[in-house]
PDB file of all heavy atoms in Angstrom:
ATOM      1  N   ILE F1457      -7.522 -13.295   2.193  1.00  0.00           N
ATOM      2  CA  ILE F1457      -8.500 -13.956   1.312  1.00  0.00           C
ATOM      3  C   ILE F1457      -9.921 -13.617   1.735  1.00  0.00           C
ATOM      4  O   ILE F1457     -10.772 -13.283   0.905  1.00  0.00           O
ATOM      5  CB  ILE F1457      -8.269 -15.486   1.305  1.00  0.00           C
ATOM      6  CG1 ILE F1457      -6.942 -15.803   0.605  1.00  0.00           C
ATOM      7  CG2 ILE F1457      -9.428 -16.212   0.640  1.00  0.00           C
ATOM      8  CD1 ILE F1457      -6.473 -17.238   0.799  1.00  0.00           C
ATOM      9  N   GLU F1458     -10.201 -13.689   3.015  1.00  0.00           N
ATOM     10  CA  GLU F1458     -11.558 -13.390   3.517  1.00  0.00           C
ATOM     11  C   GLU F1458     -11.942 -11.938   3.263  1.00  0.00           C
ATOM     12  O   GLU F1458     -13.054 -11.647   2.819  1.00  0.00           O
ATOM     13  CB  GLU F1458     -11.660 -13.709   5.011  1.00  0.00           C
ATOM     14  CG  GLU F1458     -13.038 -13.452   5.602  1.00  0.00           C
ATOM     15  CD  GLU F1458     -14.133 -14.322   5.018  1.00  0.00           C
ATOM     16  OE1 GLU F1458     -13.838 -15.413   4.492  1.00  0.00           O
ATOM     17  OE2 GLU F1458     -15.314 -13.907   5.077  1.00  0.00           O
ATOM     18  N   ALA F1459     -11.032 -11.021   3.531  1.00  0.00           N
ATOM     19  CA  ALA F1459     -11.336  -9.602   3.307  1.00  0.00           C
ATOM     20  C   ALA F1459     -11.647  -9.352   1.832  1.00  0.00           C
ATOM     21  O   ALA F1459     -12.619  -8.670   1.497  1.00  0.00           O
ATOM     22  CB  ALA F1459     -10.156  -8.737   3.759  1.00  0.00           C
ATOM     23  N   ARG F1460     -10.849  -9.913   0.946  1.00  0.00           N
ATOM     24  CA  ARG F1460     -11.084  -9.727  -0.494  1.00  0.00           C
ATOM     25  C   ARG F1460     -12.382 -10.392  -0.933  1.00  0.00           C
ATOM     26  O   ARG F1460     -13.045  -9.900  -1.839  1.00  0.00           O
ATOM     27  CB  ARG F1460      -9.901 -10.244  -1.295  1.00  0.00           C
ATOM     28  CG  ARG F1460      -8.668  -9.348  -1.098  1.00  0.00           C
ATOM     29  CD  ARG F1460      -7.528  -9.732  -1.981  1.00  0.00           C
ATOM     30  NE  ARG F1460      -7.816  -9.306  -3.345  1.00  0.00           N
ATOM     31  CZ  ARG F1460      -7.218  -9.819  -4.407  1.00  0.00           C
ATOM     32  NH1 ARG F1460      -6.328 -10.775  -4.275  1.00  0.00           N
ATOM     33  NH2 ARG F1460      -7.516  -9.381  -5.610  1.00  0.00           N
ATOM     34  N   SER F1461     -12.749 -11.510  -0.296  1.00  0.00           N
ATOM     35  CA  SER F1461     -13.973 -12.216  -0.690  1.00  0.00           C
ATOM     36  C   SER F1461     -15.234 -11.403  -0.410  1.00  0.00           C
ATOM     37  O   SER F1461     -16.269 -11.639  -1.022  1.00  0.00           O
ATOM     38  CB  SER F1461     -14.064 -13.576   0.004  1.00  0.00           C
ATOM     39  OG  SER F1461     -14.469 -13.434   1.355  1.00  0.00           O
ATOM     40  N   ILE F1462     -15.129 -10.436   0.500  1.00  0.00           N
ATOM     41  CA  ILE F1462     -16.285  -9.584   0.794  1.00  0.00           C
ATOM     42  C   ILE F1462     -16.162  -8.212   0.144  1.00  0.00           C
ATOM     43  O   ILE F1462     -16.872  -7.282   0.481  1.00  0.00           O
ATOM     44  CB  ILE F1462     -16.537  -9.454   2.309  1.00  0.00           C
ATOM     45  CG1 ILE F1462     -15.341  -8.832   3.026  1.00  0.00           C
ATOM     46  CG2 ILE F1462     -16.895 -10.804   2.916  1.00  0.00           C
ATOM     47  CD1 ILE F1462     -15.599  -8.482   4.485  1.00  0.00           C
ATOM     48  N   GLY F1463     -15.211  -8.101  -0.799  1.00  0.00           N
ATOM     49  CA  GLY F1463     -15.090  -6.880  -1.588  1.00  0.00           C
ATOM     50  C   GLY F1463     -14.093  -5.862  -1.092  1.00  0.00           C
ATOM     51  O   GLY F1463     -14.001  -4.764  -1.637  1.00  0.00           O
ATOM     52  N   ALA F1464     -13.321  -6.215  -0.063  1.00  0.00           N
ATOM     53  CA  ALA F1464     -12.312  -5.285   0.448  1.00  0.00           C
ATOM     54  C   ALA F1464     -11.145  -5.175  -0.521  1.00  0.00           C
ATOM     55  O   ALA F1464     -10.899  -6.074  -1.319  1.00  0.00           O
ATOM     56  CB  ALA F1464     -11.812  -5.750   1.815  1.00  0.00           C
ATOM     57  N   THR F1465     -10.443  -4.077  -0.444  1.00  0.00           N
ATOM     58  CA  THR F1465      -9.216  -3.875  -1.201  1.00  0.00           C
ATOM     59  C   THR F1465      -8.054  -4.174  -0.267  1.00  0.00           C
ATOM     60  O   THR F1465      -7.928  -3.550   0.791  1.00  0.00           O
ATOM     61  CB  THR F1465      -9.119  -2.426  -1.713  1.00  0.00           C
ATOM     62  OG1 THR F1465     -10.234  -2.176  -2.569  1.00  0.00           O
ATOM     63  CG2 THR F1465      -7.836  -2.195  -2.482  1.00  0.00           C
ATOM     64  N   ALA F1466      -7.222  -5.137  -0.636  1.00  0.00           N
ATOM     65  CA  ALA F1466      -6.091  -5.530   0.203  1.00  0.00           C
ATOM     66  C   ALA F1466      -4.848  -4.752  -0.240  1.00  0.00           C
ATOM     67  O   ALA F1466      -4.475  -4.770  -1.406  1.00  0.00           O
ATOM     68  CB  ALA F1466      -5.834  -7.029   0.090  1.00  0.00           C
ATOM     69  N   ILE F1467      -4.235  -4.076   0.719  1.00  0.00           N
ATOM     70  CA  ILE F1467      -3.077  -3.230   0.456  1.00  0.00           C
ATOM     71  C   ILE F1467      -1.916  -3.703   1.327  1.00  0.00           C
ATOM     72  O   ILE F1467      -2.071  -3.860   2.533  1.00  0.00           O
ATOM     73  CB  ILE F1467      -3.393  -1.754   0.785  1.00  0.00           C
ATOM     74  CG1 ILE F1467      -4.588  -1.274  -0.029  1.00  0.00           C
ATOM     75  CG2 ILE F1467      -2.168  -0.873   0.567  1.00  0.00           C
ATOM     76  CD1 ILE F1467      -5.148   0.057   0.431  1.00  0.00           C
ATOM     77  N   LYS F1468      -0.759  -3.908   0.710  1.00  0.00           N
ATOM     78  CA  LYS F1468       0.436  -4.272   1.478  1.00  0.00           C
ATOM     79  C   LYS F1468       1.441  -3.139   1.362  1.00  0.00           C
ATOM     80  O   LYS F1468       1.819  -2.736   0.270  1.00  0.00           O
ATOM     81  CB  LYS F1468       1.059  -5.565   0.967  1.00  0.00           C
ATOM     82  CG  LYS F1468       2.291  -5.968   1.786  1.00  0.00           C
ATOM     83  CD  LYS F1468       2.843  -7.309   1.367  1.00  0.00           C
ATOM     84  CE  LYS F1468       4.013  -7.689   2.274  1.00  0.00           C
ATOM     85  NZ  LYS F1468       4.548  -9.002   1.916  1.00  0.00           N
ATOM     86  N   VAL F1469       1.870  -2.626   2.501  1.00  0.00           N
ATOM     87  CA  VAL F1469       2.881  -1.573   2.550  1.00  0.00           C
ATOM     88  C   VAL F1469       4.187  -2.218   2.998  1.00  0.00           C
ATOM     89  O   VAL F1469       4.248  -2.839   4.056  1.00  0.00           O
ATOM     90  CB  VAL F1469       2.478  -0.443   3.527  1.00  0.00           C
ATOM     91  CG1 VAL F1469       3.559   0.619   3.583  1.00  0.00           C
ATOM     92  CG2 VAL F1469       1.132   0.152   3.138  1.00  0.00           C
ATOM     93  N   SER F1470       5.221  -2.069   2.175  1.00  0.00           N
ATOM     94  CA  SER F1470       6.535  -2.609   2.498  1.00  0.00           C
ATOM     95  C   SER F1470       7.524  -1.459   2.634  1.00  0.00           C
ATOM     96  O   SER F1470       7.434  -0.466   1.913  1.00  0.00           O
ATOM     97  CB  SER F1470       7.020  -3.542   1.388  1.00  0.00           C
ATOM     98  OG  SER F1470       6.161  -4.636   1.267  1.00  0.00           O
ATOM     99  N   ARG F1471       8.441  -1.618   3.550  1.00  0.00           N
ATOM    100  CA  ARG F1471       9.482  -0.613   3.748  1.00  0.00           C
ATOM    101  C   ARG F1471      10.834  -1.295   3.585  1.00  0.00           C
ATOM    102  O   ARG F1471      11.347  -1.914   4.524  1.00  0.00           O
ATOM    103  CB  ARG F1471       9.354   0.025   5.122  1.00  0.00           C
ATOM    104  CG  ARG F1471      10.234   1.238   5.278  1.00  0.00           C
ATOM    105  CD  ARG F1471       9.854   2.012   6.498  1.00  0.00           C
ATOM    106  NE  ARG F1471      10.765   3.117   6.661  1.00  0.00           N
ATOM    107  CZ  ARG F1471      10.940   3.765   7.787  1.00  0.00           C
ATOM    108  NH1 ARG F1471      10.241   3.421   8.845  1.00  0.00           N
ATOM    109  NH2 ARG F1471      11.787   4.751   7.859  1.00  0.00           N
ATOM    110  N   PRO F1472      11.401  -1.234   2.378  1.00  0.00           N
ATOM    111  CA  PRO F1472      12.653  -1.935   2.088  1.00  0.00           C
ATOM    112  C   PRO F1472      13.772  -1.546   3.050  1.00  0.00           C
ATOM    113  O   PRO F1472      13.924  -0.393   3.414  1.00  0.00           O
ATOM    114  CB  PRO F1472      12.998  -1.483   0.666  1.00  0.00           C
ATOM    115  CG  PRO F1472      11.717  -0.998   0.088  1.00  0.00           C
ATOM    116  CD  PRO F1472      10.926  -0.455   1.243  1.00  0.00           C
ATOM    117  N   GLY F1473      14.519  -2.556   3.440  1.00  0.00           N
ATOM    118  CA  GLY F1473      15.679  -2.316   4.289  1.00  0.00           C
ATOM    119  C   GLY F1473      15.371  -2.154   5.760  1.00  0.00           C
ATOM    120  O   GLY F1473      16.268  -1.961   6.562  1.00  0.00           O
ATOM    121  N   VAL F1474      14.093  -2.240   6.120  1.00  0.00           N
ATOM    122  CA  VAL F1474      13.715  -2.092   7.525  1.00  0.00           C
ATOM    123  C   VAL F1474      13.061  -3.382   7.984  1.00  0.00           C
ATOM    124  O   VAL F1474      12.060  -3.815   7.437  1.00  0.00           O
ATOM    125  CB  VAL F1474      12.740  -0.902   7.733  1.00  0.00           C
ATOM    126  CG1 VAL F1474      12.298  -0.824   9.183  1.00  0.00           C
ATOM    127  CG2 VAL F1474      13.394   0.392   7.292  1.00  0.00           C
ATOM    128  N   GLN F1475      13.638  -3.993   8.985  1.00  0.00           N
ATOM    129  CA  GLN F1475      13.077  -5.208   9.564  1.00  0.00           C
ATOM    130  C   GLN F1475      11.959  -4.822  10.527  1.00  0.00           C
ATOM    131  O   GLN F1475      11.973  -3.747  11.114  1.00  0.00           O
ATOM    132  CB  GLN F1475      14.162  -5.971  10.329  1.00  0.00           C
ATOM    133  CG  GLN F1475      15.297  -6.465   9.464  1.00  0.00           C
ATOM    134  CD  GLN F1475      15.038  -7.860   8.950  1.00  0.00           C
ATOM    135  OE1 GLN F1475      14.294  -8.598   9.559  1.00  0.00           O
ATOM    136  NE2 GLN F1475      15.649  -8.202   7.837  1.00  0.00           N
ATOM    137  N   SER F1476      10.994  -5.718  10.695  1.00  0.00           N
ATOM    138  CA  SER F1476       9.923  -5.498  11.661  1.00  0.00           C
ATOM    139  C   SER F1476      10.532  -5.319  13.047  1.00  0.00           C
ATOM    140  O   SER F1476      11.385  -6.091  13.475  1.00  0.00           O
ATOM    141  CB  SER F1476       8.976  -6.696  11.674  1.00  0.00           C
ATOM    142  OG  SER F1476       8.020  -6.554  12.680  1.00  0.00           O
ATOM    143  N   ASN F1477      10.131  -4.267  13.753  1.00  0.00           N
ATOM    144  CA  ASN F1477      10.668  -4.003  15.081  1.00  0.00           C
ATOM    145  C   ASN F1477       9.782  -4.655  16.127  1.00  0.00           C
ATOM    146  O   ASN F1477       8.890  -4.043  16.679  1.00  0.00           O
ATOM    147  CB  ASN F1477      10.776  -2.496  15.329  1.00  0.00           C
ATOM    148  CG  ASN F1477      11.487  -2.180  16.626  1.00  0.00           C
ATOM    149  OD1 ASN F1477      11.789  -3.074  17.413  1.00  0.00           O
ATOM    150  ND2 ASN F1477      11.745  -0.921  16.852  1.00  0.00           N
ATOM    151  N   THR F1478      10.028  -5.920  16.400  1.00  0.00           N
ATOM    152  CA  THR F1478       9.208  -6.640  17.364  1.00  0.00           C
ATOM    153  C   THR F1478       9.685  -6.420  18.792  1.00  0.00           C
ATOM    154  O   THR F1478       9.098  -6.956  19.719  1.00  0.00           O
ATOM    155  CB  THR F1478       9.192  -8.152  17.045  1.00  0.00           C
ATOM    156  OG1 THR F1478      10.528  -8.626  17.011  1.00  0.00           O
ATOM    157  CG2 THR F1478       8.496  -8.407  15.713  1.00  0.00           C
ATOM    158  N   ASN F1479      10.746  -5.629  18.985  1.00  0.00           N
ATOM    159  CA  ASN F1479      11.189  -5.330  20.343  1.00  0.00           C
ATOM    160  C   ASN F1479      10.215  -4.393  21.040  1.00  0.00           C
ATOM    161  O   ASN F1479      10.040  -4.441  22.246  1.00  0.00           O
ATOM    162  CB  ASN F1479      12.588  -4.710  20.334  1.00  0.00           C
ATOM    163  CG  ASN F1479      13.636  -5.693  19.867  1.00  0.00           C
ATOM    164  OD1 ASN F1479      13.490  -6.898  20.049  1.00  0.00           O
ATOM    165  ND2 ASN F1479      14.675  -5.187  19.237  1.00  0.00           N
ATOM    166  N   LYS F1480       9.582  -3.489  20.273  1.00  0.00           N
ATOM    167  CA  LYS F1480       8.645  -2.535  20.860  1.00  0.00           C
ATOM    168  C   LYS F1480       7.222  -3.061  20.843  1.00  0.00           C
ATOM    169  O   LYS F1480       6.427  -2.736  21.691  1.00  0.00           O
ATOM    170  CB  LYS F1480       8.701  -1.204  20.108  1.00  0.00           C
ATOM    171  CG  LYS F1480      10.021  -0.483  20.282  1.00  0.00           C
ATOM    172  CD  LYS F1480      10.018   0.831  19.551  1.00  0.00           C
ATOM    173  CE  LYS F1480      11.349   1.539  19.734  1.00  0.00           C
ATOM    174  NZ  LYS F1480      11.400   2.791  18.992  1.00  0.00           N
ATOM    175  N   ALA F1481       6.887  -3.835  19.823  1.00  0.00           N
ATOM    176  CA  ALA F1481       5.539  -4.394  19.700  1.00  0.00           C
ATOM    177  C   ALA F1481       5.652  -5.724  18.980  1.00  0.00           C
ATOM    178  O   ALA F1481       6.463  -5.887  18.084  1.00  0.00           O
ATOM    179  CB  ALA F1481       4.636  -3.441  18.920  1.00  0.00           C
ATOM    180  N   GLY F1482       4.866  -6.657  19.370  1.00  0.00           N
ATOM    181  CA  GLY F1482       4.899  -7.958  18.726  1.00  0.00           C
ATOM    182  C   GLY F1482       5.841  -8.907  19.427  1.00  0.00           C
ATOM    183  O   GLY F1482       6.495  -8.562  20.406  1.00  0.00           O
ATOM    184  N   VAL F1483       5.887 -10.105  18.898  1.00  0.00           N
ATOM    185  CA  VAL F1483       6.705 -11.157  19.487  1.00  0.00           C
ATOM    186  C   VAL F1483       7.697 -11.645  18.435  1.00  0.00           C
ATOM    187  O   VAL F1483       7.282 -12.103  17.377  1.00  0.00           O
ATOM    188  CB  VAL F1483       5.815 -12.327  19.963  1.00  0.00           C
ATOM    189  CG1 VAL F1483       6.665 -13.458  20.528  1.00  0.00           C
ATOM    190  CG2 VAL F1483       4.792 -11.844  20.982  1.00  0.00           C
ATOM    191  N   PRO F1484       9.008 -11.506  18.700  1.00  0.00           N
ATOM    192  CA  PRO F1484       9.991 -11.968  17.711  1.00  0.00           C
ATOM    193  C   PRO F1484       9.746 -13.421  17.309  1.00  0.00           C
ATOM    194  O   PRO F1484       9.529 -14.275  18.154  1.00  0.00           O
ATOM    195  CB  PRO F1484      11.327 -11.821  18.447  1.00  0.00           C
ATOM    196  CG  PRO F1484      11.076 -10.805  19.508  1.00  0.00           C
ATOM    197  CD  PRO F1484       9.634 -11.006  19.914  1.00  0.00           C
ATOM    198  N   GLY F1485       9.739 -13.685  16.004  1.00  0.00           N
ATOM    199  CA  GLY F1485       9.547 -15.045  15.518  1.00  0.00           C
ATOM    200  C   GLY F1485       8.109 -15.529  15.518  1.00  0.00           C
ATOM    201  O   GLY F1485       7.843 -16.666  15.153  1.00  0.00           O
ATOM    202  N   HIS F1486       7.174 -14.675  15.944  1.00  0.00           N
ATOM    203  CA  HIS F1486       5.764 -15.077  15.972  1.00  0.00           C
ATOM    204  C   HIS F1486       5.292 -15.383  14.561  1.00  0.00           C
ATOM    205  O   HIS F1486       5.717 -14.752  13.593  1.00  0.00           O
ATOM    206  CB  HIS F1486       4.906 -13.971  16.595  1.00  0.00           C
ATOM    207  CG  HIS F1486       3.499 -14.396  16.852  1.00  0.00           C
ATOM    208  ND1 HIS F1486       2.511 -14.257  15.909  1.00  0.00           N
ATOM    209  CD2 HIS F1486       2.927 -14.969  17.935  1.00  0.00           C
ATOM    210  CE1 HIS F1486       1.378 -14.728  16.397  1.00  0.00           C
ATOM    211  NE2 HIS F1486       1.602 -15.160  17.634  1.00  0.00           N
ATOM    212  N   SER F1487       4.401 -16.335  14.427  1.00  0.00           N
ATOM    213  CA  SER F1487       3.935 -16.762  13.108  1.00  0.00           C
ATOM    214  C   SER F1487       3.341 -15.612  12.294  1.00  0.00           C
ATOM    215  O   SER F1487       3.489 -15.573  11.071  1.00  0.00           O
ATOM    216  CB  SER F1487       2.916 -17.896  13.238  1.00  0.00           C
ATOM    217  OG  SER F1487       1.797 -17.481  13.988  1.00  0.00           O
ATOM    218  N   SER F1488       2.715 -14.634  12.955  1.00  0.00           N
ATOM    219  CA  SER F1488       2.136 -13.515  12.207  1.00  0.00           C
ATOM    220  C   SER F1488       3.223 -12.605  11.639  1.00  0.00           C
ATOM    221  O   SER F1488       3.055 -12.022  10.572  1.00  0.00           O
ATOM    222  CB  SER F1488       1.189 -12.690  13.089  1.00  0.00           C
ATOM    223  OG  SER F1488       1.892 -12.019  14.114  1.00  0.00           O
TER     224      SER F1488
END
Side-chain angles (χ1 to χ4, degrees):
I1457 292 168
E1458 181 63 24
R1460 290 186 74 200
S1461 77
I1462 60 171
T1465 299
I1467 302 168
K1468 181 175 183 178
V1469 179
S1470 297
R1471 191 167 177 199
V1474 177
Q1475 297 269 335
S1476 174
N1477 187 353
T1478 56
N1479 293 331
K1480 293 181 180 178
V1483 178
H1486 189 271
S1487 60
S1488 67

